[in-house]
Short mmCIF file of all heavy atoms in Angstrom, two decimals:
data_model
loop_
_atom_site.label_atom_id
_atom_site.label_comp_id
_atom_site.label_asym_id
_atom_site.label_seq_id
_atom_site.Cartn_x
_atom_site.Cartn_y
_atom_site.Cartn_z
N VAL A 1 90.77 100.17 83.07
CA VAL A 1 91.31 101.28 82.30
C VAL A 1 92.42 101.97 83.09
O VAL A 1 93.48 102.32 82.54
CB VAL A 1 90.19 102.27 81.90
CG1 VAL A 1 90.75 103.58 81.36
CG2 VAL A 1 89.27 101.63 80.88
N ALA A 2 92.22 102.19 84.37
CA ALA A 2 93.26 102.83 85.19
C ALA A 2 94.52 101.97 85.24
O ALA A 2 95.64 102.51 85.24
CB ALA A 2 92.73 103.07 86.61
N ALA A 3 94.35 100.66 85.28
CA ALA A 3 95.51 99.77 85.32
C ALA A 3 96.32 99.85 84.02
O ALA A 3 97.55 99.71 84.04
CB ALA A 3 95.08 98.34 85.58
N THR A 4 95.65 100.08 82.89
CA THR A 4 96.36 100.14 81.61
C THR A 4 96.82 101.53 81.25
O THR A 4 97.89 101.71 80.66
CB THR A 4 95.48 99.58 80.47
OG1 THR A 4 94.27 100.33 80.42
CG2 THR A 4 95.18 98.12 80.68
N VAL A 5 96.05 102.56 81.60
CA VAL A 5 96.36 103.93 81.20
C VAL A 5 97.25 104.64 82.22
O VAL A 5 98.09 105.46 81.84
CB VAL A 5 95.05 104.73 80.98
CG1 VAL A 5 95.31 106.19 80.72
CG2 VAL A 5 94.25 104.13 79.85
N ALA A 6 97.07 104.35 83.49
CA ALA A 6 97.80 105.06 84.53
C ALA A 6 98.58 104.08 85.40
O ALA A 6 98.29 103.94 86.61
CB ALA A 6 96.84 105.89 85.37
N PRO A 7 99.61 103.41 84.85
CA PRO A 7 100.36 102.46 85.67
C PRO A 7 101.11 103.14 86.82
O PRO A 7 101.33 102.53 87.86
CB PRO A 7 101.30 101.78 84.69
CG PRO A 7 101.38 102.70 83.52
CD PRO A 7 100.10 103.46 83.48
N GLY A 8 101.48 104.40 86.62
CA GLY A 8 102.17 105.12 87.70
C GLY A 8 101.27 105.31 88.91
O GLY A 8 101.70 105.14 90.05
N LEU A 9 100.02 105.68 88.64
CA LEU A 9 99.06 105.85 89.73
C LEU A 9 98.77 104.52 90.42
O LEU A 9 98.76 104.44 91.65
CB LEU A 9 97.74 106.44 89.19
CG LEU A 9 96.57 106.46 90.18
CD1 LEU A 9 96.84 107.45 91.30
CD2 LEU A 9 95.28 106.75 89.47
N MET A 10 98.53 103.48 89.63
CA MET A 10 98.20 102.18 90.20
C MET A 10 99.38 101.56 90.95
O MET A 10 99.18 100.77 91.87
CB MET A 10 97.72 101.23 89.11
CG MET A 10 96.46 101.70 88.40
SD MET A 10 95.07 101.89 89.50
CE MET A 10 94.39 100.26 89.42
N GLY A 11 100.60 101.94 90.57
CA GLY A 11 101.78 101.39 91.24
C GLY A 11 102.20 102.17 92.47
O GLY A 11 103.13 101.77 93.18
N ARG A 12 101.52 103.27 92.76
CA ARG A 12 101.88 104.09 93.92
C ARG A 12 101.65 103.31 95.20
O ARG A 12 100.61 102.69 95.42
CB ARG A 12 101.03 105.36 93.91
CG ARG A 12 101.44 106.33 95.02
CD ARG A 12 100.79 107.67 94.88
NE ARG A 12 101.32 108.32 93.67
CZ ARG A 12 100.65 109.21 92.97
NH1 ARG A 12 99.45 109.58 93.34
NH2 ARG A 12 101.19 109.76 91.90
N THR A 13 102.63 103.34 96.07
CA THR A 13 102.59 102.60 97.33
C THR A 13 101.62 103.26 98.30
O THR A 13 101.62 104.47 98.49
CB THR A 13 103.98 102.53 97.96
OG1 THR A 13 104.87 101.92 97.02
CG2 THR A 13 103.97 101.72 99.22
N VAL A 14 100.80 102.42 98.93
CA VAL A 14 99.86 102.90 99.95
C VAL A 14 100.44 102.64 101.33
O VAL A 14 100.51 103.54 102.16
CB VAL A 14 98.49 102.20 99.79
CG1 VAL A 14 97.55 102.58 100.92
CG2 VAL A 14 97.88 102.52 98.45
N ALA A 15 100.87 101.41 101.57
CA ALA A 15 101.46 101.04 102.85
C ALA A 15 102.31 99.79 102.64
O ALA A 15 101.80 98.76 102.21
CB ALA A 15 100.39 100.77 103.90
N GLY A 16 103.58 99.89 102.91
CA GLY A 16 104.47 98.73 102.75
C GLY A 16 104.51 98.28 101.30
O GLY A 16 104.81 99.04 100.40
N GLU A 17 104.18 97.02 101.07
CA GLU A 17 104.15 96.46 99.71
C GLU A 17 102.79 96.63 99.04
O GLU A 17 102.61 96.25 97.89
CB GLU A 17 104.49 94.96 99.76
CG GLU A 17 105.90 94.67 100.22
CD GLU A 17 106.95 95.15 99.22
OE1 GLU A 17 106.74 94.98 98.00
OE2 GLU A 17 107.95 95.71 99.67
N LEU A 18 101.85 97.22 99.73
CA LEU A 18 100.49 97.39 99.22
C LEU A 18 100.42 98.64 98.36
O LEU A 18 100.73 99.74 98.82
CB LEU A 18 99.53 97.50 100.41
CG LEU A 18 98.04 97.36 100.14
CD1 LEU A 18 97.74 95.95 99.63
CD2 LEU A 18 97.26 97.63 101.40
N ASN A 19 99.97 98.48 97.09
CA ASN A 19 99.86 99.64 96.22
C ASN A 19 98.40 99.91 95.87
O ASN A 19 97.50 99.17 96.27
CB ASN A 19 100.72 99.45 94.95
CG ASN A 19 100.29 98.27 94.12
OD1 ASN A 19 99.18 97.78 94.23
ND2 ASN A 19 101.20 97.79 93.27
N VAL A 20 98.16 100.96 95.11
CA VAL A 20 96.80 101.38 94.76
C VAL A 20 96.08 100.28 93.97
O VAL A 20 94.89 100.04 94.19
CB VAL A 20 96.83 102.71 93.96
CG1 VAL A 20 95.45 103.07 93.44
CG2 VAL A 20 97.38 103.83 94.82
N ALA A 21 96.77 99.61 93.06
CA ALA A 21 96.15 98.55 92.26
C ALA A 21 95.66 97.41 93.15
O ALA A 21 94.57 96.86 92.93
CB ALA A 21 97.14 98.02 91.23
N MET A 22 96.44 97.03 94.15
CA MET A 22 96.02 95.95 95.05
C MET A 22 94.81 96.37 95.88
O MET A 22 93.88 95.59 96.06
CB MET A 22 97.17 95.55 95.98
CG MET A 22 98.27 94.82 95.30
SD MET A 22 99.54 94.48 96.53
CE MET A 22 100.49 93.25 95.70
N VAL A 23 94.82 97.61 96.35
CA VAL A 23 93.68 98.10 97.13
C VAL A 23 92.42 98.12 96.26
O VAL A 23 91.34 97.68 96.69
CB VAL A 23 93.98 99.50 97.71
CG1 VAL A 23 92.74 100.12 98.31
CG2 VAL A 23 95.10 99.42 98.74
N ALA A 24 92.56 98.63 95.02
CA ALA A 24 91.40 98.66 94.12
C ALA A 24 90.94 97.26 93.77
O ALA A 24 89.73 97.00 93.67
CB ALA A 24 91.75 99.45 92.86
N GLY A 25 91.86 96.32 93.57
CA GLY A 25 91.48 94.94 93.28
C GLY A 25 90.75 94.30 94.44
O GLY A 25 89.74 93.60 94.24
N LEU A 26 91.23 94.53 95.66
CA LEU A 26 90.53 94.00 96.84
C LEU A 26 89.17 94.69 97.02
O LEU A 26 88.21 94.06 97.48
CB LEU A 26 91.40 94.17 98.08
CG LEU A 26 92.65 93.28 98.11
CD1 LEU A 26 93.54 93.66 99.29
CD2 LEU A 26 92.29 91.81 98.16
N ALA A 27 89.11 95.96 96.64
CA ALA A 27 87.83 96.67 96.72
C ALA A 27 86.81 96.07 95.75
O ALA A 27 85.60 96.13 95.99
CB ALA A 27 88.02 98.15 96.44
N GLN A 28 87.28 95.48 94.64
CA GLN A 28 86.37 94.80 93.72
C GLN A 28 85.66 93.64 94.43
O GLN A 28 84.46 93.45 94.27
CB GLN A 28 87.14 94.26 92.50
CG GLN A 28 87.66 95.31 91.57
CD GLN A 28 86.57 95.91 90.71
OE1 GLN A 28 85.66 95.22 90.27
NE2 GLN A 28 86.67 97.20 90.49
N PHE A 29 86.44 92.88 95.21
CA PHE A 29 85.84 91.78 95.97
C PHE A 29 84.85 92.32 97.01
O PHE A 29 83.75 91.79 97.17
CB PHE A 29 86.91 90.95 96.67
CG PHE A 29 87.67 90.06 95.74
CD1 PHE A 29 88.96 90.40 95.36
CD2 PHE A 29 87.11 88.90 95.25
CE1 PHE A 29 89.67 89.59 94.50
CE2 PHE A 29 87.81 88.07 94.39
CZ PHE A 29 89.09 88.42 94.00
N ALA A 30 85.25 93.36 97.72
CA ALA A 30 84.36 93.94 98.73
C ALA A 30 83.08 94.46 98.09
O ALA A 30 81.98 94.28 98.63
CB ALA A 30 85.09 95.06 99.48
N THR A 31 83.20 95.08 96.92
CA THR A 31 82.03 95.59 96.22
C THR A 31 81.11 94.45 95.82
O THR A 31 79.88 94.57 95.90
CB THR A 31 82.46 96.39 94.98
OG1 THR A 31 83.36 97.42 95.38
CG2 THR A 31 81.28 97.02 94.29
N THR A 32 81.67 93.34 95.38
CA THR A 32 80.86 92.18 95.00
C THR A 32 80.05 91.67 96.19
O THR A 32 78.84 91.42 96.07
CB THR A 32 81.76 91.05 94.47
OG1 THR A 32 82.50 91.53 93.36
CG2 THR A 32 80.94 89.83 94.06
N PHE A 33 80.68 91.54 97.34
CA PHE A 33 79.96 91.08 98.53
C PHE A 33 78.92 92.10 98.98
O PHE A 33 77.80 91.73 99.36
CB PHE A 33 80.93 90.77 99.67
CG PHE A 33 81.75 89.54 99.42
CD1 PHE A 33 83.12 89.63 99.25
CD2 PHE A 33 81.15 88.29 99.33
CE1 PHE A 33 83.88 88.49 99.00
CE2 PHE A 33 81.90 87.15 99.09
CZ PHE A 33 83.27 87.26 98.92
#
């Protein structure tokens, strides 16, 4: 929902080329493990 409703938030840069969406997506994998 955040990826579709808040693209500005998800596109915000965290570090270098890494944005909030990438961090949240990687967190999905971490949460699964």
Side-chain angles (χ1 to χ4, degrees):
V1 168
T4 57
V5 173
L9 170 69
M10 298 300 271
R12 186 170 293 153
T13 303
V14 174
E17 295 293 319
L18 194 65
N19 62 20
V20 173
M22 289 178 165
V23 170
L26 291 172
Q28 290 284 322
F29 285 104
T31 304
T32 302
F33 289 114

